[in-house]
Amino acid sequence: MKFEPYQKKLKLPVIIILTVLVFHSVIGSISLKSLWNLTALEIIFSGIFLSIIISFSFETLVDTAMMIKASFSEKTDYVHVIHKLHDISIKVKREGVLSLQSDIELESNTFLRDALVLLNDYKKPEAMRDILEKDIEARQISLYRPYNVLKMIANVAPSFGLIGTLLGLIGLLSDLGQASLIMSNMASALVSTLYGGLIANFAAVPLMGRLKEYIDHHILQYTIVMEGILLIAQNDSPRNVFDKMNVMLKEEQRLLYPKKEFTERNTATYEFQ
Protein backbone atom coordinates (compact mmCIF):
# COMPACT_ATOMS: atom_id res chain seq x y z
CA MET A 1 0.00 0.00 0.00
CA LYS A 2 2.89 2.37 0.67
CA PHE A 3 4.05 1.93 -2.95
CA GLU A 4 0.72 3.16 -4.38
CA PRO A 5 1.66 6.88 -4.58
CA TYR A 6 4.87 5.98 -6.45
CA GLN A 7 2.89 3.80 -8.87
CA LYS A 8 0.56 6.70 -9.63
CA LYS A 9 3.49 9.07 -10.18
CA LEU A 10 5.22 6.62 -12.51
CA LYS A 11 2.15 5.71 -14.58
CA LEU A 12 1.77 8.97 -16.52
CA PRO A 13 5.48 9.29 -17.48
CA VAL A 14 5.51 5.65 -18.65
CA ILE A 15 2.40 6.26 -20.79
CA ILE A 16 3.96 9.41 -22.30
CA ILE A 17 7.27 7.64 -23.06
CA LEU A 18 5.55 4.66 -24.71
CA THR A 19 3.25 6.96 -26.73
CA VAL A 20 6.26 8.94 -27.97
CA LEU A 21 8.02 5.70 -28.97
CA VAL A 22 4.98 4.51 -30.95
CA PHE A 23 4.59 7.93 -32.60
CA HIS A 24 8.31 8.03 -33.42
CA SER A 25 8.24 4.54 -34.95
CA VAL A 26 5.29 5.50 -37.18
CA ILE A 27 6.77 8.85 -38.26
CA GLY A 28 10.12 7.19 -38.82
CA SER A 29 8.52 4.85 -41.33
CA ILE A 30 6.23 7.27 -43.23
CA SER A 31 5.46 10.99 -43.30
CA LEU A 32 2.47 12.61 -41.60
CA LYS A 33 1.18 13.69 -44.99
CA SER A 34 1.02 10.06 -46.11
CA LEU A 35 -0.98 9.16 -43.01
CA TRP A 36 -3.73 11.68 -43.72
CA ASN A 37 -6.48 10.36 -45.98
CA LEU A 38 -9.95 11.88 -45.73
CA THR A 39 -11.66 9.11 -47.67
CA ALA A 40 -10.30 6.46 -45.32
CA LEU A 41 -11.39 8.46 -42.29
CA GLU A 42 -14.90 8.84 -43.70
CA ILE A 43 -15.23 5.10 -44.29
CA ILE A 44 -13.90 4.14 -40.85
CA PHE A 45 -15.75 6.65 -38.66
CA SER A 46 -19.06 6.64 -40.55
CA GLY A 47 -19.06 2.84 -40.52
CA ILE A 48 -18.26 2.63 -36.80
CA PHE A 49 -20.85 5.22 -35.77
CA LEU A 50 -23.51 3.70 -38.01
CA SER A 51 -22.89 0.27 -36.48
CA ILE A 52 -23.12 1.39 -32.85
CA ILE A 53 -26.11 3.71 -33.47
CA ILE A 54 -28.04 0.83 -35.04
CA SER A 55 -26.97 -1.66 -32.36
CA PHE A 56 -27.40 0.42 -29.19
CA SER A 57 -29.81 2.99 -27.81
CA PHE A 58 -28.79 6.62 -27.48
CA GLU A 59 -29.00 6.25 -23.68
CA THR A 60 -26.41 3.44 -23.81
CA LEU A 61 -24.06 5.58 -25.90
CA VAL A 62 -24.36 8.45 -23.42
CA ASP A 63 -23.75 6.02 -20.54
CA THR A 64 -20.64 4.76 -22.35
CA ALA A 65 -19.17 8.25 -22.57
CA MET A 66 -20.01 8.95 -18.93
CA MET A 67 -18.53 5.64 -17.72
CA ILE A 68 -15.31 6.18 -19.64
CA LYS A 69 -15.00 9.60 -18.01
CA ALA A 70 -15.84 8.14 -14.58
CA SER A 71 -13.22 5.40 -14.98
CA PHE A 72 -10.54 8.10 -15.17
CA SER A 73 -11.92 10.48 -12.53
CA GLU A 74 -13.61 8.29 -9.90
CA LYS A 75 -12.17 5.79 -7.46
CA THR A 76 -14.29 3.12 -5.82
CA ASP A 77 -14.38 3.90 -2.10
CA TYR A 78 -14.35 0.65 -0.15
CA VAL A 79 -13.14 2.35 3.04
CA HIS A 80 -16.20 4.59 3.39
CA VAL A 81 -18.61 1.70 2.75
CA ILE A 82 -16.95 -0.66 5.23
CA HIS A 83 -16.81 1.95 8.00
CA LYS A 84 -20.40 2.98 7.32
CA LEU A 85 -21.68 -0.58 7.58
CA HIS A 86 -19.63 -1.07 10.74
CA ASP A 87 -21.28 2.03 12.24
CA ILE A 88 -24.70 0.76 11.14
CA SER A 89 -24.07 -2.59 12.82
CA ILE A 90 -23.26 -0.76 16.07
CA LYS A 91 -26.40 1.37 15.72
CA VAL A 92 -28.59 -1.69 15.13
CA LYS A 93 -27.10 -3.36 18.22
CA ARG A 94 -27.88 -0.29 20.31
CA GLU A 95 -31.20 0.91 18.94
CA GLY A 96 -32.64 -1.83 16.74
CA VAL A 97 -33.32 -2.09 13.01
CA LEU A 98 -36.09 0.51 13.00
CA SER A 99 -33.53 3.21 13.85
CA LEU A 100 -32.21 3.02 10.27
CA GLN A 101 -34.92 5.25 8.74
CA SER A 102 -32.79 8.38 8.91
CA ASP A 103 -29.80 6.55 7.37
CA ILE A 104 -31.97 5.30 4.49
CA GLU A 105 -33.23 8.78 3.67
CA LEU A 106 -29.73 10.32 3.65
CA GLU A 107 -27.89 7.52 1.81
CA SER A 108 -26.65 8.48 -1.69
CA ASN A 109 -25.26 5.05 -2.64
CA THR A 110 -28.29 3.48 -4.36
CA PHE A 111 -27.28 -0.14 -3.74
CA LEU A 112 -26.54 0.48 -0.06
CA ARG A 113 -29.82 2.36 0.29
CA ASP A 114 -31.77 -0.53 -1.26
CA ALA A 115 -29.95 -2.97 1.03
CA LEU A 116 -30.83 -0.88 4.09
CA VAL A 117 -34.48 -0.86 3.02
CA LEU A 118 -34.40 -4.66 2.86
CA LEU A 119 -32.73 -4.83 6.27
CA ASN A 120 -35.45 -2.59 7.65
CA ASP A 121 -38.30 -4.58 6.06
CA TYR A 122 -37.17 -8.24 6.08
CA LYS A 123 -36.37 -10.61 8.90
CA LYS A 124 -35.05 -13.60 6.90
CA PRO A 125 -31.42 -13.23 5.70
CA GLU A 126 -31.88 -15.95 3.05
CA ALA A 127 -34.69 -13.94 1.40
CA MET A 128 -32.55 -10.81 1.52
CA ARG A 129 -29.60 -12.64 -0.08
CA ASP A 130 -31.74 -13.81 -2.98
CA ILE A 131 -33.01 -10.28 -3.66
CA LEU A 132 -29.56 -8.65 -3.32
CA GLU A 133 -27.91 -11.22 -5.61
CA LYS A 134 -30.54 -10.55 -8.28
CA ASP A 135 -29.98 -6.80 -7.80
CA ILE A 136 -26.22 -7.23 -8.30
CA GLU A 137 -26.85 -9.34 -11.41
CA ALA A 138 -29.12 -6.65 -12.89
CA ARG A 139 -26.60 -3.89 -12.11
CA GLN A 140 -23.80 -5.96 -13.63
CA ILE A 141 -25.75 -6.32 -16.89
CA SER A 142 -26.30 -2.56 -16.94
CA LEU A 143 -22.62 -1.85 -16.25
CA TYR A 144 -21.51 -4.13 -19.09
CA ARG A 145 -23.54 -2.28 -21.77
CA PRO A 146 -20.84 0.43 -22.26
CA TYR A 147 -18.23 -2.34 -22.31
CA ASN A 148 -20.17 -4.01 -25.13
CA VAL A 149 -20.18 -0.75 -27.11
CA LEU A 150 -16.39 -0.64 -27.00
CA LYS A 151 -16.24 -4.35 -27.82
CA MET A 152 -18.25 -3.71 -30.98
CA ILE A 153 -15.96 -0.82 -31.95
CA ALA A 154 -12.92 -3.09 -31.48
CA ASN A 155 -14.56 -5.70 -33.72
CA VAL A 156 -15.88 -3.49 -36.54
CA ALA A 157 -13.01 -0.96 -36.85
CA PRO A 158 -10.60 -3.44 -38.53
CA SER A 159 -13.47 -4.67 -40.71
CA PHE A 160 -14.21 -1.19 -42.01
CA GLY A 161 -10.48 -0.69 -42.47
CA LEU A 162 -10.51 -3.76 -44.69
CA ILE A 163 -13.53 -2.39 -46.59
CA GLY A 164 -11.59 0.84 -47.20
CA THR A 165 -8.65 -1.24 -48.43
CA LEU A 166 -10.88 -3.17 -50.86
CA LEU A 167 -12.45 0.03 -52.19
CA GLY A 168 -8.98 1.49 -52.69
CA LEU A 169 -7.87 -1.62 -54.59
CA ILE A 170 -10.99 -1.53 -56.75
CA GLY A 171 -10.24 2.11 -57.60
CA LEU A 172 -6.62 1.20 -58.29
CA LEU A 173 -7.57 -1.59 -60.71
CA SER A 174 -10.10 0.60 -62.51
CA ASP A 175 -7.51 3.36 -63.12
CA LEU A 176 -4.46 1.38 -64.14
CA GLY A 177 -3.83 3.75 -67.03
CA GLN A 178 -3.53 6.84 -64.79
CA ALA A 179 -0.43 6.83 -62.58
CA SER A 180 -1.57 9.64 -60.26
CA LEU A 181 -4.87 7.92 -59.46
CA ILE A 182 -3.10 4.61 -58.90
CA MET A 183 -0.92 6.15 -56.16
CA SER A 184 -3.90 7.93 -54.57
CA ASN A 185 -6.00 4.77 -54.45
CA MET A 186 -3.09 2.71 -53.13
CA ALA A 187 -2.52 5.18 -50.29
CA SER A 188 -6.23 5.12 -49.42
CA ALA A 189 -6.26 1.33 -49.45
CA LEU A 190 -3.32 0.92 -47.09
CA VAL A 191 -4.15 3.79 -44.73
CA SER A 192 -7.71 2.48 -44.19
CA THR A 193 -6.37 -0.76 -42.72
CA LEU A 194 -3.95 1.22 -40.54
CA TYR A 195 -6.77 3.43 -39.20
CA GLY A 196 -8.91 0.42 -38.37
CA GLY A 197 -6.09 -1.31 -36.51
CA LEU A 198 -5.13 1.83 -34.57
CA ILE A 199 -8.71 2.57 -33.47
CA ALA A 200 -9.29 -1.01 -32.36
CA ASN A 201 -5.98 -1.69 -30.62
CA PHE A 202 -4.95 1.74 -29.33
CA ALA A 203 -8.39 3.07 -28.30
CA ALA A 204 -11.21 0.52 -28.00
CA VAL A 205 -9.32 -2.43 -26.49
CA PRO A 206 -7.44 -0.38 -23.81
CA LEU A 207 -10.70 1.35 -22.84
CA MET A 208 -12.39 -2.04 -22.61
CA GLY A 209 -9.73 -3.12 -20.12
CA ARG A 210 -10.23 0.06 -18.13
CA LEU A 211 -14.02 -0.36 -18.02
CA LYS A 212 -13.67 -4.03 -17.05
CA GLU A 213 -11.57 -3.00 -14.04
CA TYR A 214 -14.07 -0.22 -13.19
CA ILE A 215 -16.96 -2.72 -13.34
CA ASP A 216 -15.11 -5.30 -11.22
CA HIS A 217 -14.48 -2.68 -8.54
CA HIS A 218 -18.19 -1.79 -8.41
CA ILE A 219 -19.25 -5.44 -8.26
CA LEU A 220 -16.83 -6.00 -5.38
CA GLN A 221 -18.29 -3.00 -3.56
CA TYR A 222 -21.82 -4.37 -4.07
CA THR A 223 -20.71 -7.77 -2.76
CA ILE A 224 -19.11 -6.20 0.31
CA VAL A 225 -22.33 -4.29 1.03
CA MET A 226 -24.44 -7.43 0.58
CA GLU A 227 -22.31 -9.52 2.94
CA GLY A 228 -22.19 -6.75 5.53
CA ILE A 229 -25.95 -6.23 5.47
CA LEU A 230 -26.61 -9.98 5.76
CA LEU A 231 -24.28 -10.25 8.75
CA ILE A 232 -26.11 -7.36 10.41
CA ALA A 233 -29.43 -9.11 9.67
CA GLN A 234 -28.04 -12.22 11.38
CA ASN A 235 -27.28 -10.09 14.46
CA ASP A 236 -23.54 -10.72 14.11
CA SER A 237 -21.13 -8.63 16.19
CA PRO A 238 -19.79 -5.34 14.73
CA ARG A 239 -16.26 -6.74 14.86
CA ASN A 240 -17.23 -9.76 12.76
CA VAL A 241 -19.13 -7.52 10.32
CA PHE A 242 -16.03 -5.38 9.87
CA ASP A 243 -13.56 -8.27 9.59
CA LYS A 244 -15.62 -10.32 7.13
CA MET A 245 -16.01 -7.32 4.83
CA ASN A 246 -12.38 -6.32 5.27
CA VAL A 247 -10.96 -9.68 4.15
CA MET A 248 -12.72 -9.26 0.79
CA LEU A 249 -10.21 -6.53 -0.10
CA LYS A 250 -6.73 -7.15 -1.44
CA GLU A 251 -4.23 -7.64 1.37
CA GLU A 252 -2.52 -4.28 0.83
CA GLN A 253 -5.90 -2.48 0.92
CA ARG A 254 -7.18 -3.97 4.16
CA LEU A 255 -8.10 -1.63 6.99
CA LEU A 256 -7.24 -1.51 10.66
CA TYR A 257 -10.15 -2.03 12.98
CA PRO A 258 -11.25 1.35 14.37
CA LYS A 259 -10.71 1.95 18.07
CA LYS A 260 -14.22 2.82 19.02
CA GLU A 261 -16.15 2.38 22.22
CA PHE A 262 -19.79 1.43 21.97
CA THR A 263 -22.53 -0.22 23.97
CA GLU A 264 -24.41 -3.09 22.40
CA ARG A 265 -28.05 -3.43 23.30
CA ASN A 266 -28.52 -5.48 26.46
CA THR A 267 -24.76 -5.87 26.91
CA ALA A 268 -21.91 -4.16 28.68
CA THR A 269 -19.65 -1.50 27.13
CA TYR A 270 -16.98 -2.79 24.77
CA GLU A 271 -13.77 -1.17 23.60
CA PHE A 272 -11.96 -2.72 20.66
CA GLN A 273 -8.22 -2.24 20.53
Side-chain angles (χ1 to χ4, degrees), residues 170-264:
I170 291 170
L172 183 151
L173 293 173
S174 63
D175 296 309
L176 285 176
Q178 304 179 51
S180 61
L181 290 177
I182 290 175
M183 298 305 296
S184 175
N185 287 319
M186 179 60 76
S188 176
L190 298 177
V191 170
S192 294
T193 302
L194 177 63
Y195 286 166
L198 288 175
I199 291 171
N201 295 293
F202 283 88
V205 172
L207 287 174
M208 284 171 61
R210 190 168 193 89
L211 287 194
K212 179 65 167 58
E213 186 176 47
Y214 179 84
I215 293 167
D216 289 344
H217 289 167
H218 274 71
I219 297 302
L220 176 58
Q221 186 188 65
Y222 297 152
T223 306
I224 288 172
V225 170
M226 179 181 71
E227 295 300 332
I229 289 293
L230 292 174
L231 290 170
I232 295 171
Q234 295 166 13
N235 201 32
D236 212 336
S237 70
R239 180 61 191 257
N240 281 343
V241 172
F242 182 92
D243 286 343
K244 290 177 182 179
M245 291 188 295
N246 196 29
V247 294
M248 298 177 72
L249 301 178
K250 292 191 294 185
E251 187 173 357
E252 64 271 17
Q253 293 179 321
R254 290 177 186 172
L255 312 173
L256 294 176
Y257 188 73
K259 295 181 179 180
K260 186 178 294 185
E261 185 176 309
F262 69 95
T263 306
E264 294 186 359

Side-chain angles (χ1 to χ4, degrees), residues 4 19 52 69 73 77-78 135 167 170 194 198 229 233 249:
E4 190 173 346
T19 303
I52 62 175
K69 179 182 177 182
S73 59
D77 190 356
Y78 304 114
D135 192 356
L167 290 174
I170 291 170
L194 177 63
L198 288 175
I229 289 293
L249 301 178

Side-chain angles (χ1 to χ4, degrees), residues 15-28 198 202:
I15 291 174
I16 293 172
I17 291 170
L18 293 176
T19 303
V20 169
L21 288 175
V22 171
F23 184 77
H24 180 265
S25 65
V26 172
I27 300 305
L198 288 175
F202 283 88

Side-chain angles (χ1 to χ4, degrees), residues 52-53 55-64:
I52 62 175
I53 287 171
S55 302
F56 301 97
S57 66
F58 182 74
E59 181 183 1
T60 300
L61 300 182
V62 172
D63 289 343
T64 301

